[in-house]
Amino acid sequence: MQSSLADHLKQFSRSVFVIAATCCYLGLAGCTPANDNDWQGYVEGEYVYVASSQAGRLDRLSVARGQQAVVGAPLFMLEAGDETAARNQAQRQLKAAEAQLADIQSGKRPQEQDVTRAQLIQAQAGAGKAVLQLHRDETQFQAGGIAKQQLDDSRAAADTANAQVRQWQSQLTVDRLPNRDAQVRGQQAQVAAAQAVLDQADWKLGQKTITATRAGLVFDTMYREGEWVAAGNPVLRMLPPENLKIRFFVPETTLGRLRVNQAVTLSCDGCQANVAAHISYISTESEYNPPIIYSNQSRAKLVYMIEARPAAADALKLHPGQPVEVKLP
């Protein structure tokens, strides 16, 4: 029994020694300074919320979640019956204003000018007849066949007929002229206003069919076809590759060695090769600082947020929320 107790004591002493040695090793390992060129971070995406300024029923959703969309690709279309009718109305109003302007600038219609021209011909015929009568009366007066009063009447009739000819000639010239400048400018303003209304109608109609202005991943869709979409509500979220960034935190003692546009290297689980990136932002405020007065002992606990962005082609290898390791090359 005493021998068994001694054996147990020996085994206990050996276990205590092993545990103590292990703790000492772990303590020494924890005291070993870490590599101050490596930091842990994560991938974050800045999403683009695609919406229309107009309300309407979602008639067509041309993309699905997880699909890569190129610039100019159709994304979705809202019903556009009211906007189409408004555009047609504005287009017809513009044509009416342009036609009225052309009418003002061209003077009277050809049929109206024909009426004035016929009046001129009639006046010319009357003037010719009056001139012939004047010549006859002058001959008769010289022969003493008529009184001077009759000759004066013939001269007055000839002058009146010639005046009527000049009147209708001037009227025909006026008929061929456009309206006054003020009327022309006023109608030109009406045409410009109608064009502006048409441009506005075209823009509203264009807002019913949305295409991709930037290439990227269709991260999520918020509506299904047939649902009503209020004006300004996003129909889908897109993630362009250039909107991916990496956030990581560095201690206050390392902050002075980093600068904007400085190159860093990213590595992650599943990445076949390291990804190059450049620092795009360095925070000017500390994060997670302890709620105590700063001192030489607490300064080591301060960290600062750093953002880095990879190239657009390399960003396709990363995913939002993915943990990464950031290193200085």
Side-chain angles (χ1 to χ4, degrees):
M1 182 176 180
Q2 290 179 351
S3 137
S4 177
L5 180 59
D7 292 337
H8 284 298
L9 289 175
K10 288 181 181 179
Q11 291 178 358
F12 177 77
S13 300
R14 191 178 298 111
S15 300
V16 170
F17 174 80
V18 171
I19 293 173
T22 303
C23 291
C24 182
Y25 171 78
L26 292 176
L28 291 174
C31 295
T32 302
N35 187 355
D36 59 356
N37 286 339
D38 296 355
W39 307 282
Q40 296 298 319
Y42 61 93
V43 182
E44 186 174 275
E46 296 175 338
Y47 299 99
V48 176
Y49 293 81
V50 184
S52 172
S53 63
Q54 308 299 309
R57 183 184 65 248
L58 181 60
D59 279 354
R60 184 185 305 163
L61 186 60
S62 304
V63 292
R65 183 170 59 180
Q67 178 181 340
Q68 289 287 343
V70 298
V71 176
L75 299 179
F76 62 89
M77 183 178 69
L78 305 178
E79 58 87 17
D82 183 64
E83 287 76 12
T84 302
R87 184 194 180 279
N88 293 337
Q89 179 184 5
Q91 191 173 32
R92 293 186 177 95
Q93 289 175 343
L94 174 61
K95 289 182 178 179
E98 289 175 340
Q100 189 172 359
L101 176 61
D103 181 66
I104 290 176
Q105 290 176 331
S106 62
K108 289 188 175 182
R109 293 174 297 177
Q111 294 82 357
E112 294 174 327
Q113 295 181 20
D114 289 342
V115 173
T116 304
R117 193 175 292 108
Q119 295 288 345
L120 173 60
I121 293 173
Q122 183 179 358
Q124 288 173 339
K129 183 179 179 181
V131 170
L132 290 175
Q133 183 63 41
L134 176 59
H135 291 329
R136 285 195 296 265
D137 289 347
E138 287 177 342
T139 303
Q140 289 292 328
F141 177 74
Q142 292 176 359
I146 61 172
K148 189 175 184 306
Q149 179 65 38
Q150 185 176 352
L151 178 60
D152 292 340
D153 291 341
S154 296
R155 287 176 177 172
D159 292 341
T160 302
N162 289 329
Q164 289 178 345
V165 170
R166 292 192 297 272
Q167 176 187 352
W168 289 113
Q169 286 176 340
S170 300
Q171 183 63 47
L172 183 60
T173 302
V174 170
D175 290 348
R176 292 170 177 171
L177 293 176
N179 285 9
R180 290 178 296 181
D181 292 342
Q183 291 178 316
V184 173
R185 289 195 299 270
Q187 190 58 36
Q188 288 174 341
Q190 292 292 336
V191 172
Q195 182 64 59
V197 173
L198 178 60
D199 293 342
Q200 185 179 23
D202 281 335
W203 182 83
K204 288 183 178 179
L205 181 60
Q207 287 294 300
K208 290 305 185 79
T209 303
I210 303 300
T211 58
T213 58
R214 300 170 66 183
L217 172 70
V218 180
F219 193 82
D220 196 8
T221 58
M222 285 74 166
Y223 289 89
R224 293 182 292 271
E225 292 182 354
E227 292 183 325
W228 181 264
V229 182
N233 279 16
V235 176
L236 49 88
R237 284 194 299 168
M238 291 190 64
L239 182 58
E242 61 270 21
N243 283 21
L244 276 172
K245 61 184 179 181
I246 290 81
R247 278 188 171 182
F248 60 99
F249 297 86
V250 301
E252 185 266 344
T253 54
T254 309
L255 187 64
R257 296 194 291 113
L258 302 179
R259 65 185 185 277
V260 175
N261 294 327
Q262 186 174 356
V264 294
T265 302
L266 312 176
S267 60
C268 61
D269 296 336
C271 294
Q272 297 181 354
N274 292 338
V275 176
H278 288 81
I279 295 176
S280 61
Y281 174 75
I282 299 177
S283 176
T284 57
E285 297 181 357
S286 60
E287 307 272 349
Y288 307 118
N289 52 308
I292 57 176
I293 299 176
Y294 293 147
S295 63
N296 290 335
Q297 290 75 22
S298 66
R299 276 171 32 183
K301 299 180 180 180
L302 300 179
V303 293
Y304 288 79
M305 183 190 71
I306 310 293
E307 291 181 355
R309 293 183 182 270
D314 293 331
L316 297 174
K317 307 173 185 177
L318 306 174
H319 305 280
Q322 182 180 14
V324 295
E325 185 178 356
V326 184
K327 300 179 180 179
L328 288 178

